[in-house]
Amino acid sequence: MVSVALLLLRVVIGVAFVGHGAQKLFGWFGGYGPKGTGGYMESIGMKPGVAMAVLAGLMELVGGILFVAGLFTPVAAVLIIATMLGAIIKVHAPNGFWSTSNGIEFPLTVLVIALAVALAGPGSISLDALFFN
């Protein structure tokens, strides 16, 4: 049952990150693509904006794909954790804790889930288990 629980966490978080990466990289799912996202990133002091948007999008897309698959799970978790730390520091921290005021509650929750999965391992229903056990 633990492997099923880990699979559920990996799939939900991973798919969300694939979507966020696709928003930044391709403008899919209501996203703004590299130029639009880059403009926002420049406005919050992350320069060069387009390069930062592409980097964040790649980290989210690759991290999400690897997390879903349970492949190189520690690397996937680091990519997710890094993007969430960036979001917390650059966007959410000034707003306090609660999501209702755009605070750190949600990105911190995602960060902790990624960390917990990295520490626990991806479970037996994963490519890591298939290739590395």
Side-chain angles (χ1 to χ4, degrees), residues 10 65-77 117-133:
R10 289 191 352 256
I65 290 168
L66 293 174
F67 210 65
V68 168
L71 181 62
F72 306 120
T73 304
V75 173
V117 170
L119 292 172
S124 63
I125 309 169
S126 68
L127 292 179
D128 282 345
L130 180 66
F131 294 137
F132 303 115
N133 281 340

Side-chain angles (χ1 to χ4, degrees), residues 50-74:
V50 172
M52 295 302 287
V54 169
L55 178 62
L58 285 171
M59 290 171 64
E60 290 172 345
L61 184 72
V62 172
I65 290 168
L66 293 174
F67 210 65
V68 168
L71 181 62
F72 306 120
T73 304

Side-chain angles (χ1 to χ4, degrees), residues 77 80-82 84-85 88 106-116:
I80 291 169
I81 289 166
M84 289 298 89
L85 276 175
I88 288 168
F106 185 72
L108 179 63
T109 300
V110 172
L111 183 154
V112 170
I113 290 169
L115 178 61

